[in-house]
Amino acid sequence: MSIAPVGEPAGDAATFLGHPRGLAYLAFTEAWERFSFYGMQSLLVLYMVQSLFLPGQIDNVAGMAA
């Protein structure tokens, strides 16, 4: 195994746009996590609007009496 000079990638290390290949997986994972979080947040809002905030139901929701 030879050592690559500073500033140059090793011969067997694959790169993605000049970055280590693992960085692409990390960025994809982070983006997917954010997409899932905001998707679930919007589903919660839709549930609250369609189920909890109805005239007969809103009296039974904890914290809404104030």
Side-chain angles (χ1 to χ4, degrees):
M1 180 166 113
S2 65
I3 299 174
V6 175
E8 293 181 17
D12 58 351
T15 61
F16 177 72
L17 298 175
H19 298 286
R21 205 168 177 105
L23 188 63
Y25 295 115
L26 224 155
F28 174 76
T29 303
E30 181 66 24
W32 184 253
E33 186 268 335
R34 289 281 98 194
F35 176 75
S36 300
F37 174 77
Y38 290 119
M40 290 304 290
Q41 193 175 24
S42 63
L43 289 175
L44 175 64
V45 168
L46 288 175
Y47 167 73
M48 290 176 71
V49 168
Q50 292 181 357
S51 297
L52 293 179
F53 293 160
L54 296 175
Q57 287 291 106
I58 199 162
D59 299 330
N60 299 326
V61 177
M64 292 301 291

